[in-house]
Amino acid sequence: MQQEDSQPWYKQFWPWFLISIPLASIVGGISMIIISIDGADTLVNQDYYKDGLAINKQFDKIQKANTLGISATIDLIDNKIVLDLQSKEVISDSLALYFNHATMESKDFKLNLQQASDGKYFSFLEPNQVTTINGKWYLQLIPYSDNWKLESSWTLPNNAPLIMGK
């Protein structure tokens, strides 16, 4: 004798099991699309050809800094950046210090340095920058005249000062 099942289909296990397999793949696919859109690689420059053409100008600026004998010592004390600039010639130009994060472009920021009475340059980090400054950074020191440039990398936190140039 066969016994007939009296429960409706939606109270059975197997229909829901079979429905869950394609449903799980749809949810997984949608989540992968969201992750790929939100986590897009910002390190790839869309205008790489023009950047390649302009790279010689960047090398000329670094070479000009070497010719002028420009070097800088950067120290981070609490929330204050102190920069001591050495050069063969007197530099009275205002300076900008660019912090470029190694992997996340959204963390990049720029500091406008002010010259103190002792000849050193300084700037203060904002409170949110102090808490997020840990990690590897690529630094660029550029005057507002934009005729020379120093580059270096710095991993923070670090008790030792960074020496850029020579």
Side-chain angles (χ1 to χ4, degrees), residues 64-77:
K64 173 101 183 224
N66 288 335
T67 304
L68 295 173
I70 299 172
S71 65
T73 304
I74 301 173
D75 203 4
L76 175 62
I77 305 166

Side-chain angles (χ1 to χ4, degrees), residues 9-165:
W9 72 269
Y10 54 85
K11 290 187 178 182
Q12 299 290 325
F13 168 75
W14 288 110
W16 290 111
F17 177 76
L18 294 174
I19 291 171
S20 68
I21 294 172
L23 188 62
S25 65
I26 291 171
V27 170
I30 290 172
S31 64
M32 289 294 178
I33 290 171
I34 291 171
I35 289 170
S36 67
I37 290 171
D38 287 344
D41 189 6
T42 58
L43 299 177
V44 177
N45 190 353
Q46 298 297 326
D47 203 5
Y48 61 90
Y49 181 73
K50 286 184 182 178
D51 287 347
L53 292 176
I55 198 154
N56 288 336
K57 292 180 184 177
Q58 300 297 323
F59 287 139
D60 290 344
K61 290 178 185 180
I62 294 170
Q63 184 60 39
K64 173 101 183 224
N66 288 335
T67 304
L68 295 173
I70 299 172
S71 65
T73 304
I74 301 173
D75 203 4
L76 175 62
I77 305 166
D78 295 327
N79 70 331
K80 184 178 182 182
I81 297 281
V82 179
L83 184 136
D84 188 13
L85 189 67
Q86 297 87 27
S87 174
K88 292 179 186 175
E89 298 180 11
V90 176
I91 297 175
S92 59
D93 204 357
S94 297
L95 301 176
L97 184 62
Y98 293 88
F99 280 79
N100 298 313
H101 194 269
T103 57
M104 294 190 300
E105 185 180 27
S106 61
K107 288 189 173 185
D108 296 354
F109 63 94
K110 170 188 169 185
L111 292 176
N112 295 319
L113 301 172
Q114 301 172 4
Q115 192 169 17
S117 59
D118 61 357
K120 294 183 180 182
Y121 291 85
F122 71 95
S123 184
F124 292 97
L125 295 172
E126 295 177 11
N128 65 337
Q129 291 172 332
V130 173
T131 58
T132 61
I133 200 163
N134 294 345
K136 185 172 183 177
W137 295 90
Y138 296 106
L139 275 64
Q140 293 180 339
L141 180 65
I142 302 173
Y144 283 113
S145 61
D146 199 27
N147 57 356
W148 57 266
K149 175 169 86 167
L150 292 177
E151 293 182 325
S152 187
S153 63
W154 201 13
T155 302
L156 295 171
N158 195 338
N159 292 334
L162 171 69
I163 299 173
M164 297 178 80

